[in-house]
Amino acid sequence: MRKNFIKKLLAGFSLSALVSAGVIYACGGGDYWGYDYSSSFTPEVYADASYRPLFFSSEEQFYGIGYLEDGIGRFNSNITDDWSGYLKGVMTAEDINYLLLDKNAGDDINDLYSAINKKKKNTIRPSVDIKETRVKNFIQFLVEAKRVEAFSTTSYNYWEYEETAIPIASRSIGLDLEKKYKGISADEFLKNRYWFQTMKAYFYGEDKNDLIRFFDATADKQPKNLLYYRGLAYVAGVHYRAKDYAKSNYLYSIVFDKCPELRTVTAYNFRPQQQSDFDQSLDLAKTADEKVALWAMLGYYTNERKAIEEIYKLNPTSLHLEFLLTRLVNIEESKLNTYYSDLKAPKAYRSELKNKLDSNAVSLVKKIAKEEKTTKPYLWHLANGYLSIYNQEYDFAKKEFDLVEKTAPKSELASNQLRLLRLINQLSATDKIDSKTDKGLVEELRWLNLTVPSQSIDDGVFRYSYALDWSRKYVASLYEAQKDKVMAELFSPNKEYYYKTADLEAMKALMRKGNLSEWEKLGMSIYRIKLSDINEFQAIQLTYANKIPEAIAFMAQVDTVAVLQGNPFNGKIKDCNDCDHVAVQKVKYSKLDFLKKVQEMQAKIAAGEDVYNNALLLGNAFYNLSYFGNARAFYDNPIMDEYGNYISKLNIDVLHSNKNANNYYQMAFKAATNDEQRARCTYMMTKCERNAFYTGKYYQDQNYYGYPSVNFIAFNGYKQLEDKYSNTNFYNEVINECGYFRKYLRVD
């Protein structure tokens, strides 16, 4: 054990355990999401709920709650329940809750107290009978408790704690409370309450020795309830402040063991600074159970396996073994379940997992499961079977799961967990998918892939997400090994798959196939690409290749043809997609309508009809089809999968290209009959030239996170506009709208 081996606590806690025993100074919490990112073993299945925050989290936070908050209000329900029992029949629940918990009740409490002492009629809260003895006791207690509360319920900002003055209670408050505690004889409930308030007052007081003195003199007379263990945690905090780490940790371990409500708090504060501290704490332990608690807390932070070994020797029926076992399994998962992203060779993958598995952990779990001395043998058999999968002991794992099914308590979560692990085991043992493969495996995969995600199972606790993803990739790897690229694609899609014509046609053939096997049905049911998507993809590719008739043929087979947001035939001086999308459009073009219009214009050009206008409009159309235009929606397709500013390498050459647009602009230029037309064509060709320059600098040079080395040049088109077409109206329009051109001309 290294010095400061639980240093992760120190990152969020440096005032000292003194204050944290009462108020935890730490970051604000919040549920941590993603525990099942690499896990298929749900700790909630059988482990006691009181340990839940101590289950393994891949982040340095408490499971399910994140960081501890300041603790104010943590025991409100316990407090109200206790007082409700004491005041049953003499005060309403509404009054009890108000006087105990409402921060605005202070004045009413003082007025009620004054009325009691002066024997006046209660006009403040008429429903409270201040003549009743228990009510009097309650009001008088609240007045004293509020004095302490001023010091114990101060919230602190974690980021500013070093600059925060911690309030110190006057010693007289503790002495007054101690006197009242000693003055109570018959009412044990009330006496216990005053005892705890005295402990709290001394804890926040000037001299912490008062706390130790008072506790040592009175602890044996107290019931071992929540208040007692809260008080004991205060004592542990004082010893920590005095740097008596061995005593502090020993006392925290007792609280951890005996008081489930304080397990998270004590686990947070348990901190041997080095090996000797822990050894000294063990020496202080008077019983085997106290040693067990120390090992349990140490196991939470360091070596679960070592802690399990030691606890099992001392007391094999200890409940602490359960949460440590779940941590051991979940930690193994987090280490092993990261090796499937390139799962191409199943046998090699399984061997790699076995080599990385902690064989000592496997042996320990197997030994304990076999001996069945624990309180929940079925939990150990479940873990044993699961770890045996990684160890390639598939038949043995099945026997363990059979045993769990016979002996474990029944619940929805337990049933789902066992079913999932059986599936993982069965699939892991599968080397080939053919007619001999167990038909039941398909049914189980259908359950995992289709049934489980569609239901709210076990309030989101059930961990199936990793297995869902893994199972698909594993099945795909089996098909990959069998050279069946189509089935591999169904279970683990590859973005590049459809860019090879032979693969694309093979998938279309499968989708048109009438009589599908059960494996094919399963693959098709989880595959997001449909035949219509493939037809649209082909139409898009053919469009950019300027093969419009062929593109129309495929687009006509698309189930739902999207409408373009802007007029794709518009060509503006300044590109503004949003402007084009909100502009009034006389004609709304669907993708198919657009292609038909392009075909119509191409036919007119071929016939020599109005070549200038048709070529100019076609140039605009192909420009708008590119990344720079207003018709990006045209390439909105699940196979293309290009929706943002970043374009993948598969499509970058096509979507960044203005080659087709430039060709039509050149055609229009040649057909132009006046300088206004030629000026317009020249500028539109310049936009294509400009785009090629910037995409080359940002993308080809991989410099898109910074500025290009040259961010402006004198484009050829600008020179042509200045030299030949400065006499045109269009030239002046460009000056008004194009900042690049103004910069080139050096005009404001």
Side-chain angles (χ1 to χ4, degrees):
M1 186 190 310
R2 65 186 183 280
K3 185 177 181 179
N4 296 327
F5 63 93
I6 53 173
K7 64 180 180 179
K8 66 181 181 180
L9 284 184
L10 303 180
F13 183 93
S14 56
L15 277 179
S16 81
L18 171 65
V19 281
S20 68
V23 180
I24 298 299
Y25 298 91
C27 293
D31 288 342
Y32 174 72
W33 61 272
Y35 293 117
D36 61 347
Y37 178 75
S38 62
S39 175
S40 299
F41 191 83
T42 305
E44 289 92 339
V45 175
Y46 297 123
D48 189 271
S50 66
Y51 295 97
R52 190 174 189 273
L54 307 182
F55 294 159
F56 174 69
S57 167
S58 57
E59 296 290 316
E60 293 185 351
Q61 304 175 24
F62 286 112
Y63 179 92
I65 61 175
Y67 295 106
L68 285 182
E69 296 182 352
D70 60 12
I72 297 172
R74 181 184 291 116
F75 301 110
N76 282 353
S77 61
N78 303 90
I79 295 169
T80 53
D81 287 347
D82 289 348
W83 279 106
S84 294
Y86 178 77
L87 296 166
K88 187 175 182 179
V90 298
M91 186 179 288
T92 67
E94 179 184 0
D95 285 332
I96 294 171
N97 286 330
Y98 169 71
L99 294 173
L100 275 173
L101 305 179
D102 197 310
K103 62 182 179 180
N104 298 314
D107 290 341
D108 284 357
I109 292 171
N110 290 332
D111 290 342
L112 288 169
Y113 180 71
S114 178
I116 290 171
N117 287 336
K118 295 179 181 179
K119 298 182 180 180
K120 291 183 178 181
K121 184 178 180 181
N122 172 21
T123 60
I124 293 84
R125 203 167 180 84
S127 58
V128 177
D129 182 6
I130 61 174
K131 295 180 180 180
E132 214 284 332
T133 300
R134 282 173 290 170
V135 173
K136 287 182 181 179
N137 291 339
F138 179 49
I139 300 302
Q140 290 169 347
F141 172 82
L142 286 177
V143 171
E144 299 296 338
K146 291 295 180 182
R147 296 173 67 191
V148 182
E149 192 175 276
F151 303 94
S152 66
T153 60
T154 301
S155 295
Y156 295 89
N157 185 326
Y158 166 70
W159 300 108
E160 299 175 356
Y161 68 80
E162 290 182 345
E163 301 171 4
T164 302
I166 303 174
I168 302 297
S170 169
R171 187 167 186 258
S172 62
I173 297 176
L175 292 173
D176 287 347
L177 285 166
E178 184 175 352
K179 183 178 180 181
K180 286 181 172 59
Y181 162 77
K182 291 177 178 178
I184 300 172
S185 57
D187 195 325
E188 294 299 327
F189 175 85
L190 197 62
K191 191 176 185 69
N192 185 225
R193 255 56 196 170
Y194 273 102
W195 176 85
F196 180 69
Q197 289 300 318
T198 305
M199 289 288 295
K200 186 187 288 189
Y202 283 144
F203 179 75
Y204 291 98
E206 300 168 301
D207 187 349
K208 305 304 186 250
N209 290 321
D210 284 331
L211 177 75
I212 305 298
R213 172 190 57 77
F214 179 70
F215 180 83
D216 289 344
T218 59
D220 290 343
K221 302 174 185 177
Q222 303 308 310
K224 299 303 184 288
N225 56 13
L226 176 60
L227 293 183
Y228 172 82
Y229 289 110
R230 289 176 68 185
L232 185 57
Y234 286 147
V235 177
V238 169
H239 282 293
Y240 181 87
R241 182 63 176 269
K243 298 185 178 181
D244 187 352
Y245 303 125
K247 184 67 174 289
S248 173
N249 292 321
Y250 164 64
L251 295 177
Y252 276 134
S253 72
I254 294 175
V255 179
F256 176 88
D257 186 47
K258 302 298 183 183
C259 187
E261 297 94 332
L262 288 170
R263 283 204 173 120
T264 307
V265 175
T266 51
Y268 188 92
N269 289 300
F270 179 81
R271 56 175 75 201
Q273 301 296 298
Q274 49 193 321
Q275 179 68 46
S276 60
D277 295 328
F278 182 71
D279 292 340
Q280 290 172 33
S281 295
L282 280 176
D283 290 339
L284 291 172
K286 300 178 180 65
T287 66
D289 284 347
E290 288 184 354
K291 292 181 179 180
V292 164
L294 281 163
W295 278 111
M297 296 187 76
L298 185 67
Y300 173 72
Y301 285 109
T302 57
N303 189 328
E304 288 80 4
R305 178 169 56 80
K306 175 64 174 175
I308 290 172
E309 287 177 344
E310 296 299 328
I311 293 172
Y312 190 69
K313 294 175 188 175
L314 292 164
N315 181 7
T317 62
S318 171
L319 295 180
H320 298 321
L321 285 170
E322 298 168 9
F323 94 91
L324 289 171
L325 173 62
T326 67
R327 287 184 61 84
L328 182 147
V329 174
N330 289 154
I331 289 172
E332 281 298 296
E333 285 184 302
S334 70
K335 179 178 68 177
L336 299 170
N337 289 347
T338 57
Y339 294 97
Y340 74 82
S341 57
D342 294 320
L343 208 167
K344 299 297 183 184
K347 291 184 179 180
Y349 158 74
R350 295 195 301 257
S351 295
E352 184 176 12
L353 288 183
K354 183 175 181 178
N355 291 335
K356 293 181 181 297
L357 182 65
D358 184 346
S359 59
N360 291 324
V362 174
S363 298
L364 176 63
V365 174
K366 186 170 291 188
K367 172 182 181 296
I368 296 176
K370 182 178 180 180
E371 293 179 357
E372 293 194 334
K373 295 179 181 179
T374 63
T375 56
K376 296 178 180 178
Y378 43 83
L379 174 59
W380 292 85
H381 286 300
L382 185 73
N384 191 25
Y386 183 41
L387 293 177
S388 296
I389 298 173
Y390 293 108
N391 211 33
Q392 299 187 33
E393 298 176 283
Y394 307 119
D395 290 338
F396 178 76
K398 182 179 182 302
K399 292 178 182 178
E400 288 292 273
F401 295 148
D402 289 342
L403 192 56
V404 173
E405 189 165 16
K406 293 177 183 177
T407 59
K410 301 296 187 281
S411 70
E412 182 185 36
L413 180 59
S415 175
N416 286 325
Q417 174 70 96
L418 184 57
R419 187 173 183 178
L420 180 65
L421 297 187
R422 283 187 182 277
L423 188 160
I424 294 171
N425 184 50
Q426 187 178 1
L427 186 55
S428 296
T430 302
D431 289 318
K432 187 176 182 180
I433 299 177
D434 55 22
S435 59
K436 298 179 182 179
T437 305
D438 187 350
K439 300 298 187 294
L441 184 56
V442 175
E443 185 58 35
E444 292 306 290
L445 286 169
R446 187 176 289 113
W447 167 75
L448 175 60
N449 282 271
L450 302 177
T451 302
V452 175
S454 66
Q455 298 177 348
S456 177
I457 297 181
D458 305 309
D459 297 324
V461 172
F462 180 42
R463 299 183 178 189
Y464 70 89
S465 298
Y466 173 81
L468 175 66
D469 193 28
W470 168 83
S471 67
R472 293 181 180 183
K473 286 183 167 59
Y474 190 86
V475 170
S477 73
L478 293 175
Y479 278 117
E480 192 76 30
Q482 295 168 211
K483 310 298 182 185
D484 192 337
K485 296 176 67 175
V486 177
M487 291 300 292
E489 167 65 15
L490 289 182
F491 285 91
S492 184
N494 182 347
K495 189 174 177 66
E496 299 180 9
Y497 179 85
Y498 286 97
Y499 290 82
K500 294 180 181 179
T501 304
D503 293 340
L504 181 150
E505 293 299 336
M507 182 62 75
K508 292 184 75 171
L510 176 62
M511 290 182 171
R512 294 190 184 109
K513 180 182 174 182
N515 187 21
L516 297 175
S517 71
E518 291 304 309
W519 282 97
E520 289 169 340
K521 289 178 183 178
L522 174 61
M524 293 293 289
S525 67
I526 63 176
Y527 194 52
R528 71 184 183 96
I529 304 298
K530 307 305 177 187
L531 182 59
S532 178
D533 299 324
I534 302 174
N535 287 326
E536 184 182 53
F537 172 74
Q538 290 180 281
I540 293 169
Q541 295 295 309
L542 288 164
T543 298
Y544 287 113
N546 201 7
K547 297 179 180 180
I548 303 305
E550 296 92 329
I552 291 174
F554 282 107
M555 192 66 77
Q557 300 178 59
V558 176
D559 293 339
T560 303
V561 181
V563 174
L564 302 180
Q565 296 165 288
N567 188 331
F569 297 102
N570 281 347
K572 304 290 184 61
I573 292 174
K574 181 164 52 178
D575 292 335
C576 179
N577 294 345
D578 292 340
C579 303
D580 289 351
H581 293 170
V582 299
V584 176
Q585 299 174 46
K586 294 181 180 179
V587 179
K588 286 278 191 178
Y589 290 96
S590 70
K591 294 182 182 182
L592 182 58
D593 294 335
F594 166 72
L595 289 175
K596 289 179 178 179
K597 192 66 175 179
V598 169
Q599 185 180 41
E600 177 186 328
M601 292 178 178
Q602 288 179 335
K604 288 182 178 181
I605 289 175
E609 181 182 338
D610 196 6
V611 174
Y612 168 78
N613 282 315
N614 283 302
L616 182 65
L617 292 174
L618 286 173
N620 294 340
F622 278 98
Y623 185 91
N624 284 320
L625 287 181
S626 74
Y627 169 81
F628 308 98
N630 65 24
R632 291 185 186 180
F634 185 81
Y635 59 79
D636 186 349
N637 171 267
I639 298 175
M640 294 282 288
D641 196 31
E642 306 289 2
Y643 303 103
N645 291 330
Y646 174 77
I647 307 296
S648 69
K649 291 182 179 180
L650 283 170
N651 299 307
I652 192 170
D653 290 339
V654 171
L655 300 184
H656 279 176
S657 174
N658 290 144
K659 181 179 179 181
N660 287 328
N662 196 62
N663 288 341
Y664 280 109
Y665 288 142
Q666 288 179 349
M667 187 182 298
F669 181 85
K670 292 177 181 177
T673 58
N674 56 59
D675 281 353
E676 289 290 346
Q677 292 178 342
R678 282 185 279 271
R680 182 177 295 276
C681 293
T682 299
Y683 178 77
M684 301 308 282
M685 287 186 284
T686 306
K687 288 174 64 176
C688 298
E689 181 187 2
R690 178 203 63 195
N691 293 342
F693 170 77
Y694 284 107
T695 56
K697 287 296 177 184
Y698 277 104
Y699 287 86
Q700 271 68 25
D701 292 350
Q702 297 296 302
N703 195 28
Y704 41 82
Y705 289 116
Y707 293 101
S709 55
V710 178
N711 59 24
F712 184 83
I713 63 171
F715 299 112
N716 292 328
Y718 289 169
K719 297 176 183 178
Q720 294 293 319
L721 281 173
E722 182 183 25
D723 294 344
K724 297 182 179 180
Y725 306 113
S726 60
N727 60 322
T728 63
N729 291 327
F730 184 80
Y731 175 85
N732 292 318
E733 291 177 20
V734 174
I735 291 176
N736 289 334
E737 295 190 39
C738 180
Y740 282 126
F741 191 51
R742 289 197 300 275
K743 185 174 182 179
Y744 164 75
L745 295 176
R746 293 183 175 83
V747 297
D748 295 330

